[in-house]
Amino acid sequence: MDALDRKILTELQLDGRLTVTELAARVQLSVSPCHRRLRDLEREGAIRGYRAVVDPAAVGLNFEALVFATLRWEDRDTVTAFEEAVTAIPQVIQAQRLFGEPDYLLRVATSHLVAYQHLYDQQLAKLPGVQRLTSTLVMKNVIAERPLPEG
């Protein structure tokens, strides 16, 4: 991957709806080579897909929490069961496995505190293998979405 590929990626992260013609102009390349590079980036997996970035508040998701999960055991079956169960909860909009403690960081979006409390009691606290959950409430998203750095 060279500097031109990185510039293409940066431009698409800023605006994924660019036409190939617009993208080519922004990266100062003619359309055919730009299109070829774009297809190569998609085929190689550097570009995993295209999507709309939706404002959670605009769709009634005004409450966000970060949940730290520590598992009792970290054997393969427990980790697999936990990850499958987390994947099935639509309000978990991001989940990351961590080194050390805690074992997981979950980003959860709900409409309000009572909805979060219900989700916590009925689903999160019952996740397989959970020893401890700790929640932190998000006061404000300072950086919600940002393009990946070039280097």
Side-chain angles (χ1 to χ4, degrees):
M1 181 173 302
D2 62 14
L4 198 49
D5 288 335
R6 292 185 194 286
K7 188 166 173 107
I8 289 170
L9 292 174
T10 297
E11 291 297 332
L12 286 174
Q13 287 178 90
L14 294 170
D15 184 355
R17 296 184 73 179
L18 289 173
T19 66
V20 176
T21 303
E22 292 168 329
L23 179 61
R26 288 191 186 188
V27 300
Q28 299 176 345
L29 195 62
S30 61
V31 174
S32 292
C34 183
H35 189 258
R36 197 168 29 256
R37 282 178 176 263
L38 180 58
R39 294 296 168 236
D40 288 346
L41 289 167
E42 291 170 344
R43 188 175 48 253
E44 293 166 3
I47 298 174
R48 296 188 305 205
Y50 300 89
R51 62 185 176 91
V53 178
V54 178
D55 180 2
V59 294
L61 298 173
N62 298 306
F63 187 87
E64 190 174 318
L66 301 177
V67 181
F68 300 96
T70 301
L71 302 184
R72 280 190 201 91
W73 305 278
E74 292 185 58
D75 61 274
R76 184 178 314 181
D77 291 340
T78 304
V79 167
T80 299
F82 177 86
E83 290 179 1
E84 287 174 357
V86 162
T87 301
I89 302 171
Q91 294 88 346
V92 177
I93 58 174
Q94 192 174 32
Q96 297 169 321
R97 187 171 178 196
L98 309 173
F99 278 109
E101 281 196 31
D103 298 308
Y104 289 87
L105 170 60
L106 311 177
R107 186 171 155 219
V108 177
T110 63
S111 55
H112 47 72
L113 176 61
V114 174
Y116 174 70
Q117 178 188 355
H118 180 74
L119 177 73
Y120 186 97
D121 293 343
Q122 298 302 312
Q123 292 183 282
L124 298 176
K126 296 176 182 179
L127 286 167
V130 169
Q131 175 183 348
R132 181 176 61 252
L133 294 174
T134 306
S135 297
T136 298
L137 306 182
V138 175
M139 183 185 322
K140 174 183 175 183
N141 281 308
V142 178
I143 300 172
E145 299 283 333
R146 153 186 287 178
L148 294 173
E150 291 188 28

